[in-house]
Amino acid sequence: MMILALVLGLFTSLSFAQEMEYPELNVTPRASDRVRLEAREEAGKAWSSHFSIQLSALSTLAAGAMVSANLDDEKNDRVLAPTVAMVTGALWLGVSTWSAISYRPYKETYLKLKKLPYKSKRDKLTVERLAEEELSAMRTMGRRIRWFSAATNLAASLFLLDSVKSDTDAEVAANVSSLLSVLPLFFKYHWEDVANEQDKYKKKIFSPVAMAPIITNPITQTKATGIALLYRF
C-alpha cells in the first residue's frame, strides 16, 4: 500500500506540475476570455480612450488659428507655423475621431481567434498565446500613439510660441497648447491597462517543478528518496 500510495502521489505531482507549466491555461481570466469581454464593452469606451489625444489636438488647432492673425512681423521665416499647427491638430483630431467611431481591435481579435480550434491542449495553448500577443501589440500601439501625439503637438506648439506676438491672447493659447500637448503622456490607453493587468494575473500563476530529492530521516539518520515540488514565483 505504501508503494502504491507513493507511485500515485508521484504521478499526481508530475501531472500537476505539467499542468502548471502553462500559465496561459491557468490564469483567470484567460487572455482569450479577456479579449471577448473587452470586445463587448469596446464601443462604450471608445471616446473616453481618445479624449487626451483629442483635447491636445484641439488645443493645437485652435492655437494655430489664433496665431495666424497675430504673427510677429519681425519673424517672416515663421509664417508657416500656424499652418503646421493647424494641420497637426486637424490630423490628430481626425485620426482619433475615426478610431473612436470605427476602430475596434478587440472585436477584430475576437473574431479572428473564434475561427481557431479550441479542443486539445495544443489548440487552447495556441489560442491563448495568440490572444496574449494581440493584447501586447495593442499596448505597444497605444504607448506609441501617445508619445508620437505628444511629440508632434509639442513641436507644433513651440513653433507657434516662437512666431506669435508677445502679450497677446494668441500667445496665451500657444502656451496652453504646449501644456496640453503632453496630456496624453499622463493618460494611458485602455489597451495598455488591459495588457498590464493580464500580465499581473499571469505572474501570479506559479510553475512548480516535480523533484525527487534525497531526504535524511531525522530519527534513524537513514537516507531515502521522496517527492517534492519546487515553486517558482
Side-chain angles (χ1 to χ4, degrees):
M1 288 296 293
M2 290 294 295
I3 296 177
L4 180 59
L6 183 64
V7 172
L8 290 176
L10 177 60
F11 277 105
T12 301
S13 300
L14 289 174
S15 178
F16 179 69
Q18 289 176 353
E19 286 292 329
M20 297 303 291
E21 285 180 357
Y22 305 107
E24 298 92 342
L25 300 180
N26 291 279
V27 66
T28 303
R30 292 183 177 182
S32 61
D33 294 332
R34 193 61 185 267
V35 169
R36 175 174 53 82
L37 293 172
E38 292 297 331
R40 291 179 180 178
E41 304 176 356
E42 190 170 23
K45 298 178 180 178
W47 289 100
S48 60
S49 296
H50 298 282
F51 91 94
S52 62
I53 302 288
Q54 292 179 319
L55 185 57
S56 174
L58 189 60
S59 66
T60 304
L61 177 61
M66 293 182 67
V67 171
S68 63
N70 293 274
L71 286 172
D72 191 337
D73 297 332
E74 297 180 359
K75 298 179 179 179
N76 295 325
D77 57 333
R78 300 289 191 269
V79 293
L80 288 178
T83 302
V84 170
M86 287 188 288
V87 170
T88 301
L91 284 175
W92 278 111
L93 193 60
V95 170
S96 59
T97 300
W98 170 83
S99 297
I101 295 174
S102 305
Y103 186 51
R104 300 291 183 265
Y106 287 117
K107 183 178 180 180
E108 293 176 6
T109 301
Y110 171 68
L111 294 176
K112 181 170 62 176
L113 296 177
K114 190 178 180 181
K115 298 177 182 178
L116 300 177
Y118 202 76
K119 296 180 179 180
S120 67
K121 180 182 288 187
R122 185 182 183 87
D123 292 339
K124 294 177 181 179
L125 193 59
T126 298
V127 171
E128 298 308 324
R129 288 183 174 175
L130 289 176
E132 288 186 352
E133 288 179 4
E134 292 293 338
L135 292 178
S136 180
M138 292 180 212
R139 172 174 54 193
T140 301
M141 178 181 61
R143 186 184 301 122
R144 288 176 178 174
I145 289 175
R146 291 190 300 111
W147 279 94
F148 190 49
S149 169
T152 52
N153 280 287
L154 180 60
S157 298
L158 293 178
F159 195 18
L160 285 177
L161 279 173
D162 193 40
S163 309
V164 68
K165 292 180 180 179
S166 300
D167 301 323
T168 60
D169 291 340
E171 184 182 29
V172 174
N175 278 297
V176 172
S177 175
S178 299
L179 293 174
L180 292 179
S181 64
V182 297
L183 191 64
L185 299 182
F186 300 96
F187 292 90
K188 294 182 180 180
Y189 268 104
H190 184 62
W191 307 325
E192 297 176 74
D193 292 331
V194 169
N196 291 337
E197 288 175 1
Q198 195 65 28
D199 285 346
K200 290 180 182 178
Y201 296 152
K202 187 176 178 181
K203 288 179 181 178
K204 293 180 180 179
I205 303 299
F206 53 85
S207 297
V209 180
M211 303 178 64
I214 297 177
I215 302 173
T216 301
N217 190 313
I219 300 176
T220 63
Q221 296 300 314
T222 57
K223 297 183 181 297
T225 300
I227 301 174
L229 289 176
L230 173 63
Y231 294 91
R232 297 181 301 179
F233 294 90

